Every structure is written in structure tokens, then in C-alpha cells.
Amino acid sequence: MEQDDRIDRHAFVQAGLSGLGKGLGGFLGAWLGMEPPPAPVPPRVLRPPGALPEEAFLRACTRCDACAAACPAYAIKVAGRADGVAVGTPFMHDLAGSPCLLCPDTPCIRACVPGALQPTAPHAIRLGRAEVAPDRCHAHQGTACRACVDACPVGEQGIVLWEGRPMVVPLGCTGCGQCLSACPAEPRAIAVLPTA
């Protein structure tokens, strides 16, 4: 009991000193006309299918690598130190070379025992959203091309031709990257960006 009291007092004193330091830093910053640096923003990253929102995902993911091992397309990579993502966590690393296949049985989700990846129907998966760069797109430059439209696994729910040019349908795009992989432009005219 006595030791528990000492731990509690110690934590209390540490918390008080920490708060005092923050308050003093804020006062000095205001007095000197400086603003405190902004809080770091977590990197925006494409997580595997069914991923919880980023903060919840990072809490739930045990870094077991099971989802990456289960992916038949090798689209999921486990982050290393150089990837700029929380080390050991899975992310979609090269959708141009290895797009998500939107597997009907979602093996990556089934492999996730901790629940960081939630059961999601393939057509409802939202890894991110594709965006077309008109300055690189053949169709936008006047050459007939529909490679991205033909490659889209959800068809016109994800991308359509409008007056001969591809346009992404934001609410239907799964972010799987199959359009990106099919794009013949160099550099490719499509990017898949995280939505959150």
C-alpha cells in the first residue's frame, strides 16, 4: 500500500511538472511573439481493405503481418523504417505494380484476428480514391484511350468516360489501383490518394 502511494505521488508530481513546463513554454512563446509548433500530423497512408480509421487501426494492429502474408497480389507491405509509416504496420505500397484485386473472399481481412481490418464487401472497400491528371492522360490529350475504365472492377460506379475522358466517381471508387496499373501513360496519369 505504501509503495502504491509513492507511485501515485510520483506520477502526480511528474504530471504537475509536465503541465508547468507546457504552461511556461506557452507563456514564453506568447511573450516573445512566437506561436508553438503545430502538432505533428500522422502521415496519410493507404491501409489494407477494411482498415479502421488510422488512430483506431494503429491501436488495434498487432503488427503480426498476417494480412500481408494472405494477400495473393502481394499488394500489402509491412512498413520498415524507411517507409515513413508506423514500423511493422501494413500498407498498400505499390498499386501501380500490385493493385488490390478486391478478392471476393477478402483473405487479408479474414487473416486479421485482432480486428484492425473489419469485414467489408469487396465493392464497399475504400482504400483511397483515384485521381486523373489531365496533363498526362492520353484521353485528355485527344488520343482515344479507355484502359482505366476497362480495368475498373466496379465499372461505371468507379470511373466513367465523359465526352471521351475518364472521370472518377468519388463515391464509388474503391481505390484498388487497378486503373492505375492499367494506365499506359508514362508517367502514369492516375494516382490513388488516401481519403482520410
Side-chain angles (χ1 to χ4, degrees), residues 9-103:
R9 281 191 296 251
H10 180 70
F12 176 76
V13 170
Q14 266 192 323
L17 289 174
S18 173
L20 178 63
K22 287 178 186 170
L24 185 58
F27 170 76
L28 286 174
W31 185 61
L32 295 172
M34 300 180 329
E35 291 186 24
V41 177
R44 294 174 68 200
V45 59
L46 296 169
R47 293 295 185 190
L52 294 168
E54 186 67 7
E55 286 186 23
F57 175 81
L58 291 174
R59 283 193 302 272
C61 178
T62 60
R63 282 75 166 162
C64 69
D65 307 347
C67 60
C71 178
Y74 305 103
I76 302 172
K77 178 183 177 185
V78 176
R81 292 191 189 282
D83 290 313
V85 178
V87 174
T89 62
F91 70 108
M92 311 302 284
H93 71 104
D94 177 22
L95 293 180
S98 300
C100 176
L101 299 180
L102 300 180
C103 303

Side-chain angles (χ1 to χ4, degrees), residues 111-126:
C112 183
V113 175
L117 305 180
Q118 293 289 300
T120 308
H123 68 276
I125 287 171
R126 297 293 180 268

Side-chain angles (χ1 to χ4, degrees), residues 118-138:
Q118 293 289 300
T120 308
H123 68 276
I125 287 171
R126 297 293 180 268
L127 300 174
R129 187 180 65 246
E131 288 190 3
V132 178
D135 60 325
R136 294 198 300 268
C137 174
H138 293 329

